[in-house]
């Protein structure tokens, strides 16, 4: 079997500080894998500019002129990390045998790529990069991220623990993934649904080489909500069981009230009535909010808007 062609897909959003440092690291890794005979020389490093407002796209264009292994596409506007990765994967589809998606900030250890390609050679279609340590993350980032995985699994959304979006996907798994047409993307939940033989490769996560995180808490919460609502209907079931419990308690309360009235033992209970009304009102609003979240998702899905729009490429179509 000849060496497979690898496309490394790298989303970049306002990364002018970090790209000039990490791009040569990716290239060195790619070339050393080529020399080891693990991948073909037609392999490429594909940057996906996610509507950056700084010089990121100019840097990507310069890189692509400096070495043929660098190529890039640009999204017409910022659509977020998940859409950027998907855009890259879908563009790479049909051009290669395997893809590896990785962040551009040097946090994901590129040396794990060799092991990923080995696992592919052993017959795996999906190889998850799993973080073995988070020591370099801040305490806040570490605990929120761990809470994120725990919360997801509690809500019925199964994901690979401590796996972000550093993973290898084979061409046929990518073809299968392209059949998932959802607009609300949560790739780390979707890829396990694709199936095929998979394995994990451990790597240690280091600090961002330069620049700052583009994933503030707000975006992490949005990602968690997207993950839960796109993978599971467990929250809906939970409010159903909660509703049943409240209904049961109310029923007992009603019987108690009737018995008390018959016995003539009715004392005006303003405080208890107010508490119950407020409590049930609050719970109902939360439940409506959860249902609303799902209705909103259905609304967005029925529009079936394009998941990404590419405004520029560093190559002419048909030439690569
Ligand atoms: N990213 C992106 N679009 C966005 C936000 C982030 O393409 O709207 C990219 C970013 O350039 C990086 C990756 O997604 O390559 C992960 O982002 P970051 O390193 O900021 O997240 P963190 O590692 O702090 O979770
Ligand atoms: Mg990062």
């Amino acid at each position: 079997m000849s060496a497979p062609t690898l496309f490394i897909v790298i989303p970049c959003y306002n990364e002018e500080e970090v790209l000039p440092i990490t791009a040569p690291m990716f290239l060195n890794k790619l070339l050393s894998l080529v020399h080891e005979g693990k991948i073909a020389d037609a392999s490429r490093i594909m940057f996906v500019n996610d509507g950056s407002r700084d010089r990121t796209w100019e840097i990507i264009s310069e890189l692509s002129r400096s070495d043929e292994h660098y190529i890039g596409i640009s999204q017409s506007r910022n659509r977020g990390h998940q859409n950027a990765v998907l855009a890259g994967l879908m563009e790479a589809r049909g051009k290669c045998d395997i893809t590896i998606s990785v962040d551009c900030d040097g946090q994901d250890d590129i040396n794990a790529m060799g092991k990923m390609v080995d696992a592919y050679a052993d017959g795996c279609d999906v190889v998850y990069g799993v973080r073995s340590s988070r020591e370099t993350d801040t305490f806040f980032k570490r605990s929120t991220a761990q809470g994120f995985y725990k919360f997801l699994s509690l809500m019925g959304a199964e994901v690979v623990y401590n796996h972000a979006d550093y993973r290898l996907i084979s061409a046929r798994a990518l073809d299968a993934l392209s059949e998932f047409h959802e607009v609300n993307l949560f790739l780390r939940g979707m890829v396990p649904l694709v199936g095929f033989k998979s394995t994990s490769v451990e790597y240690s996560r280091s600090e961002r080489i330069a620049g700052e995180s583009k994933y503030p808490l707000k975006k992490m919460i949005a990602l968690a909500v997207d993950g839960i609502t796109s993978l599971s209907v467990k929250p809906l079931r939970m409010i159903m069981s909660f509703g049943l419990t409240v209904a049961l308690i109310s029923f007992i309360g009603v019987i108690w009230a009737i018995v008390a009235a018959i016995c003539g033992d009715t004392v005006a209970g303003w405080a208890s009535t107010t508490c119950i009304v407020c409590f049930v009102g609050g719970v109902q609003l939360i439940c409506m909010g959860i249902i609303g979240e799902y209705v909103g998702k259905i609304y967005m899905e029925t529009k079936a808007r394009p998941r990404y729009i590419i405004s520029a490429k560093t190559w002419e179509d048909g030439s690569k």
Side-chain angles (χ1 to χ4, degrees):
M1 198 178 80
S2 62
T5 308
L6 165 70
F7 268 46
I8 304 178
V9 173
I10 310 174
C12 310
Y13 176 54
N14 292 343
E15 301 283 12
E16 63 179 3
E17 282 174 62
V18 87
L19 257 191
I21 310 170
T22 51
M25 290 165 51
F26 287 118
L27 184 61
N28 283 342
K29 189 71 213 169
L30 189 93
L31 294 179
S32 74
L33 288 174
V34 171
H35 287 144
E36 287 166 33
K38 288 187 178 176
I39 56 171
D41 189 52
S43 298
R44 296 285 179 265
I45 297 166
M46 182 192 265
F47 296 105
V48 183
N49 171 36
D50 187 21
S52 302
R53 260 164 297 199
D54 62 2
R55 289 192 64 255
T56 302
W57 180 239
E58 281 83 49
I59 296 171
I60 294 172
S61 308
E62 281 161 24
L63 286 169
S64 74
R65 285 191 291 273
S66 73
D67 192 300
E68 59 166 358
H69 292 98
Y70 291 124
I71 57 174
I73 55 175
S74 189
Q75 293 225 82
S76 59
R77 52 161 294 171
N78 179 249
R79 292 288 305 274
H81 174 229
Q82 299 288 302
N83 293 73
V85 174
L86 185 85
L89 292 178
M90 291 303 132
E91 277 302 306
R93 200 176 144 230
K95 298 187 180 71
C96 58
D97 304 306
I98 37 178
T99 58
I100 294 182
S101 49
V102 61
D103 290 354
C104 78
D105 55 7
Q107 281 193 283
D108 300 330
D109 181 14
I110 51 175
N111 294 316
M113 287 186 190
K115 285 190 241 164
M116 289 183 171
V117 176
D118 289 343
Y120 168 76
D122 288 342
C124 289
D125 281 276
V126 180
V127 186
Y128 302 103
V130 174
R131 294 166 198 179
S132 56
S133 78
R134 274 184 178 271
E135 272 138 39
T136 51
D137 274 355
T138 60
F139 173 75
F140 179 72
K141 179 92 194 176
R142 193 166 60 228
S143 36
T144 46
Q146 263 157 11
F148 172 82
Y149 290 104
K150 298 234 168 72
F151 187 61
L152 279 184
S153 73
L154 193 72
M155 290 294 142
E158 282 309 319
V159 288
V160 179
Y161 189 69
N162 260 347
H163 158 69
D165 283 291
Y166 186 17
R167 75 176 85 76
L168 176 146
I169 306 182
S170 72
R172 69 173 180 158
L174 204 56
D175 284 342
L177 184 70
S178 72
E179 298 291 322
F180 286 63
H181 297 292
E182 58 222 71
V183 181
N184 298 293
L185 290 175
F186 188 64
L187 288 170
R188 59 187 95 162
M190 286 159 67
V191 176
L193 295 177
V194 170
F196 294 113
K197 192 174 170 207
S198 68
T199 187
S200 303
V201 164
E202 281 209 354
Y203 70 96
S204 59
R205 185 154 158 101
S206 41
E207 261 171 89
R208 209 174 215 285
I209 291 187
E212 51 193 39
S213 172
K214 312 292 180 298
Y215 255 100
L217 186 63
K218 203 171 128 204
K219 272 197 196 170
M220 275 194 32
I221 292 173
L223 185 68
V225 172
D226 266 353
I228 294 161
T229 50
S230 67
L231 288 178
S232 147
V233 288
K234 203 167 167 191
L236 294 176
R237 300 229 172 92
M238 284 166 83
I239 56 179
M240 179 68 187
S241 348
F242 189 72
L244 284 174
T245 315
V246 172
L248 192 73
I249 296 169
S250 317
F251 186 66
I252 296 167
V254 168
I255 292 174
W256 169 69
I258 291 171
V259 172
I262 290 169
C263 299
D265 187 23
T266 45
V267 183
W270 178 84
S272 59
T273 315
T274 312
C275 288
I276 291 165
V277 169
C278 291
F279 176 72
V280 174
V283 167
Q284 273 180 337
L285 284 180
I286 294 173
C287 296
M288 273 170 63
I290 295 175
I291 297 167
E293 187 65 38
Y294 281 92
V295 174
K297 286 279 146 71
I298 299 167
Y299 176 60
M300 293 315 287
E301 293 292 347
T302 53
K303 285 179 194 261
R305 285 179 177 160
R307 296 186 290 179
Y308 60 91
I309 298 170
I310 291 172
S311 60
K313 294 178 182 175
T314 57
W315 71 91
E316 300 288 321
D317 260 328
S319 67
K320 224 165 216 148

